[in-house]
Each structure stands twice: as structure tokens, then as C-alpha cells.
Amino acid sequence: MRIGVIGAGNMGRILARHLAKRGHRVSIANSRGPESLTALGAEIGATPVSVVDAAKAGDIVIISIPTKAVADLPRGLFANVPSSVVVIDIGNYHPELRDGRIDAIDGGMLDSQWVAQQIGRPVIKAFNNILAESLLEKGVPRGAKGRIALPVAGDSLDAKAAVLRIVDDLGFDPVDAGDLDDSWRQQPGTPAYCQDLEAAALRRALAEADRSRIAEYRAEREARIRSSIAP
Ligand SMILES: NC(=O)c1ccc[n+]([C@@H]2O[C@H](COP(=O)([O-])OP(=O)(O)OC[C@H]3O[C@@H](n4cnc5c(N)ncnc54)[C@H](OP(=O)(O)O)[C@@H]3O)[C@@H](O)[C@H]2O)c1
């Protein structure tokens, strides 16, 4: 498949590397332009491109940038991209640590619903709740004991099916986590968040989440990250 990756940081470069290794034709972009990605592209087997070209370069486009940066993407980025192209949002909103306050999300919109609104295009939420280190190292073949499961949420069954296949391809058990309106269950701090769970445990954790606690979950997660990086 042709896959465009927007964002070449911790997550974008790991996804691009693994996808290229599995034979996909991967393009990768960041905020500074393709020249800044020459060495990385050669190392991981991906083609450096502009953000505009990454959006046009795929059967699948992965958005792997900080949530606040989604508002800075070029206007109309996906306007001429066929509706069959699947857009994956891997982002997490971190208001205190990184993104600043986004009123719509603080007011109850889910992280990926806000992203979809910003880019004017439906998204599938996936890869947001596995840490970069686990994504880099812990993928294993289907059927392997202890295989980590990852949730995939979104409204289009066809788009979701494509992303479930990618998750499997990358070495993780794909779990259908419902519609985008269910994606709060995999947002920061929820019982399913970044726990490297197997499929049955992941399903239980998704079911256990409490919608009234979304903001609390997020705040707890940010507090844990803050204390883990405190000097
Ligand atoms: N790190 C993790 O373990 C992890 C796990 C799951 C999900 N996530 C989520 O995944 C997203 C990416 O995280 P990360 O850790 O990979 O971030 P990161 O290491 O900070 O990398 C961010 C990338 O986004 C690019 N970027 C920023 N603004 C951009 C713009 N306007 N246009 C194009 N590219 C832009 C940056 O490019 P420049 O360097 O050129 O500015 C950089 O390549 C975040 O939402 C994060 O919460 C992270």
C-alpha cells in the first residue's frame, strides 16, 4: 500500500520504518520540509515529502503530530484527496504538558473528533495508546503468546477494516473499539491506555472506562508523566 506519514517524531518515524520494512511505499513529512528528512528517509526506507504531498501520497495517511499542531496544517489539505483514502489520527491531547487549552475538547469533544473537524475529514483513531518504545520493539507475529492488542475506533467500517489490517501487519492484535464516538475509551489515562494489554484484557479495560471521568483520566495521566520527568 501507499502510506503517507505526517509527523516524523517519536511515533511517525517508527510507524514509517515498520511499514516500509513490510513492503509498503511510505512517504514522510514534518514541519520543516523534506530536506530535513533526507538522512532519516534513507535510514528507514521512506521518501521525504512535503506535508501536502504526504496527504496526497497514500491509500492511508497517518497524522502523527502534536494535537495543537493539527490546527496549523495547511487549509484544505485533504480537499482534493479521494474520500477512499483512510486518515488515521494517532494523537493525544495534552493540555498542560504540550498543547495548551483547546476549548472544544475541554468542552466535551473527543480528541479525534476535534482532529476530524480541523482537517474536514473523518479519521480512524489508532496507535494513540501504545508508547513509542512498545511500538518499536513489541510487535510479534499473529498467534504469538502475549501479543499486545491495539484498539481501532472509527465510523467507516471499510476504513476501520483497513486500519485493523495494518495493526495486525505491524505485529499487534487488532481490536475493533467501536465508532469514533467510542474513542474516549482509549484516550489518555483510561484503563486501556498504554498498558500493553492482550486482546481479552484490552476489551475488558475499554468496557470498564467511565465517560464521566475523561478529563480526570487525562489530568491523572499528565500528572503521572510530569512526576516521571521531574528532576
Ligand atoms: N511518543 C509516544 O510514545 C506517543 C504514543 C502514542 C501517541 N502519541 C501521540 O502521537 C503524536 C505524535 O507524538 P510524537 O511523540 O511522535 O511527537 P514528536 O516526537 O514531538 O514529533 C512531532 C512531529 O510532528 C511534526 N510536526 C509538528 N507540527 C507539524 C506541522 N504543523 N506540520 C507537519 N508536521 C508537524 C514535527 O516536525 P518538526 O520536528 O519538523 O517540527 C515532528 O516530526 C502526539 O499527538 C502524541 O501525543 C505519542
Side-chain angles (χ1 to χ4, degrees):
M1 255 193 286
R2 296 177 316 131
I3 300 179
V5 180
I6 299 177
N10 293 310
M11 291 295 282
R13 64 181 58 200
I14 295 170
L15 286 165
R17 177 191 295 273
H18 284 338
L19 289 163
K21 215 188 219 165
R22 282 158 179 80
H24 298 290
R25 274 199 288 147
V26 180
S27 301
I28 189 162
N30 65 4
S31 76
R32 285 166 291 150
E35 318 71 45
S36 66
L37 292 171
T38 308
L40 177 73
E43 185 198 327
I44 67 178
T47 306
V49 296
S50 67
V51 168
V52 169
D53 285 341
K56 288 194 292 207
D59 305 304
I60 290 181
V61 178
I62 301 175
I63 300 181
S64 57
I65 65 178
T67 300
K68 68 173 174 195
V70 172
D72 301 330
L73 289 172
R75 287 176 75 86
L77 182 60
F78 290 98
N80 296 316
V81 174
S83 59
S84 59
V85 171
V86 176
V87 181
I88 302 177
D89 171 35
I90 76 154
N92 293 306
Y93 171 49
H94 287 301
E96 298 292 334
L97 294 175
R98 189 191 60 204
D99 295 318
R101 291 279 160 198
I102 296 174
D103 290 344
I105 301 181
D106 287 345
M109 191 178 267
L110 303 183
D111 298 8
S112 288
Q113 287 174 335
W114 183 81
V115 170
Q117 185 194 60
Q118 294 300 304
I119 65 169
R121 175 97 193 191
V123 299
I124 302 290
K125 189 174 194 74
F127 300 110
N128 75 298
N129 69 341
I130 179 164
L131 293 175
E133 303 80 59
S134 294
L135 182 66
L136 179 65
E137 293 168 0
K138 296 191 178 166
V140 291
R142 194 179 312 149
K145 198 167 171 336
R147 196 182 201 218
I148 294 170
L150 298 182
V152 177
D155 297 336
S156 157
L157 292 181
D158 286 347
K160 193 159 55 174
V163 181
L164 290 164
R165 282 194 296 275
I166 289 282
V167 167
D168 188 26
D169 198 18
L170 290 179
F172 301 93
D173 274 345
V175 166
D176 185 336
D179 297 337
L180 203 64
D181 195 42
D182 297 308
S183 63
W184 61 272
R185 294 180 184 278
Q186 65 193 72
Q187 285 188 178
T190 55
Y193 188 72
C194 292
Q195 299 296 320
D196 286 358
L197 301 173
E198 294 179 39
L202 176 63
R203 288 196 181 89
R204 278 196 302 276
L206 290 166
E208 271 166 23
D210 174 354
R211 191 163 192 157
S212 71
R213 296 193 57 213
I214 292 175
E216 203 180 324
Y217 286 139
R218 180 184 292 125
E220 285 170 6
R221 179 70 188 177
E222 289 203 291
R224 270 202 298 280
I225 296 172
R226 198 181 287 110
S227 68
S228 75
I229 56 180

